[in-house]
Amino acid sequence: MNIQPLGNRVVVDREEAQATTAGGIVLPDTAKDKPQKGKVVAVGDGTTSKDGTKKPLTVKVGDTVIFTSYAGDEFKLDGDQKVLLMREDDILAVVEG
């Protein structure tokens, strides 16, 4: 399934949660923290200013981003793939390198 966000929205593929701690303890699903990092897979066309011009988003497809743990809404695509749909404002930073 292809998903194309509108306006200032971004689709992010969240990283997998860690299954074990640094000490080697295996965590059950209920104890895993939701990762606050992911990869941008689609972006909207930007916001429209008062004079009618489009302002493109600052993030682009392929960027690795950091966001708050409660940012966006989770959607299930084909199979078991889950993605987050969020506003660009919910993104805190782009990870370089």
Side-chain angles (χ1 to χ4, degrees):
M1 176 190 306
N2 235 353
I3 186 167
Q4 179 59 47
L6 302 175
N8 68 340
R9 291 185 174 71
V10 177
V11 179
V12 176
D13 185 14
R14 187 191 306 246
E15 285 187 354
E16 291 291 323
Q18 296 293 328
T20 58
T21 65
I25 298 171
V26 177
L27 296 171
D29 288 338
T30 56
K32 293 179 186 174
D33 290 332
K34 288 186 176 182
Q36 298 172 333
K37 190 174 173 184
K39 189 171 190 175
V40 176
V41 294
V43 296
D45 58 355
T47 56
T48 305
S49 64
K50 291 182 180 181
D51 64 1
T53 59
K54 280 284 189 187
K55 180 181 173 194
L57 301 181
T58 54
V59 296
K60 59 187 179 308
V61 174
D63 283 349
T64 300
V65 294
I66 297 173
F67 46 88
T68 62
S69 57
Y70 298 105
D73 295 306
E74 193 170 71
F75 291 94
K76 192 172 185 180
L77 299 179
D78 295 336
D80 289 336
Q81 183 186 7
K82 292 180 183 176
V83 294
L84 287 173
L85 179 63
M86 65 179 71
R87 295 182 185 276
E88 184 183 37
D89 295 344
D90 293 334
I91 296 174
L92 303 173
V94 175
V95 178
E96 299 287 328

